[in-house]
């Protein structure tokens, strides 16, 4: 990988402090809605309403989308479902950004993935800290 360029990931690492607090509510759900069908009330699938900083973070991630993220992650034997097992200190920027891309794609496709679950486990925070190390030239 090329020489570190200070500030490359600043749009993302600006959220380090926000994601450090794993106890906060990263999203909420709107009041349950139903539709009537054949005389029965059927609940409507509700999507989470992310907190403003989460929305801003997801928006900033759009700048860093890795198009070949599947290939990158496959080469490292990593999946977003096993992020808790990943040693982020060993990963380069492309791999971290590929993980973020995988998370975003999984969220958009309606899988069981949501940003809040990874934020509460401290995974988003650790990934951002790794990008900060790379940005600062202190992390290999």
């Amino acid at each position: 990988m090329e020489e570190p360029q200070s500030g490359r990931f600043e749009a993302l690492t600006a959220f380090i402090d926000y994601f450090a607090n794993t106890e906060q509510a990263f999203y909420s759900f709107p009041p349950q809605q139903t539709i009537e069908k054949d005389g029965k009330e059927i609940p409507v699938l509700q999507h989470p309403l992310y907190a403003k900083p989460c929305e801003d973070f997801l928006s900033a991630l759009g700048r860093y989308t890795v198009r070949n993220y599947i290939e990158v992650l496959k080469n490292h034997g990593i999946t977003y479902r096993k992020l808790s097992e990943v040693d982020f200190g060993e990963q380069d920027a492309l791999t971290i950004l590929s993980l973020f891309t995988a998370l975003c794609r999984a969220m958009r496709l309606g899988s069981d993935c949501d940003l809040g679950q990874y934020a509460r486990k401290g995974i988003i925070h650790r990934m951002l800290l790794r990008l900060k190390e790379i940005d600062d030239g202190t992390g290999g």
Side-chain angles (χ1 to χ4, degrees):
M1 190 163 230
E2 70 230 29
E3 286 296 311
Q5 300 169 5
S6 182
R8 276 191 302 179
F9 308 115
E10 193 170 33
L12 299 179
T13 59
F15 293 91
I16 286 174
D17 290 342
Y18 175 73
F19 285 105
N21 178 2
T22 59
E23 301 299 316
Q24 66 185 307
F26 294 101
Y27 59 83
S28 62
F29 284 94
Q32 182 64 55
Q33 296 179 355
T34 60
I35 59 170
E36 188 175 326
K37 184 173 182 181
D38 299 327
K40 295 181 182 177
E41 293 289 316
I42 301 172
V44 175
L45 177 63
Q46 302 287 351
H47 295 283
L49 301 172
Y50 284 104
K52 175 83 167 93
C54 286
E55 288 287 344
D56 293 344
F57 175 71
L58 290 170
S59 178
L61 273 174
R63 252 181 76 191
Y64 299 93
T65 300
V66 178
R67 297 200 192 287
N68 66 332
Y69 71 99
I70 294 172
E71 179 184 335
V72 171
L73 297 178
K74 191 175 189 178
N75 289 340
H76 287 83
I78 299 172
T79 70
Y80 77 88
R81 294 184 186 275
K82 296 191 177 186
L83 280 181
S84 58
E85 301 171 12
V86 175
D87 179 1
F88 296 112
E90 298 293 319
Q91 307 306 322
D92 60 15
L94 181 61
T95 304
I96 298 291
L97 296 175
S98 294
L99 285 166
F100 277 130
T101 301
L103 287 174
C104 287
R105 296 286 165 85
M107 287 169 41
R108 286 189 188 119
L109 293 174
S111 75
D112 62 351
C113 175
D114 75 70
L115 183 69
Q117 71 184 359
Y118 294 104
R120 282 188 301 279
K121 293 177 183 177
I123 292 171
I124 302 298
H125 185 244
R126 292 195 314 270
M127 291 168 69
L128 292 172
L129 287 173
R130 178 60 181 148
L131 286 179
K132 178 83 170 128
E133 287 175 352
I134 293 168
D135 242 4
D136 293 344
T138 60

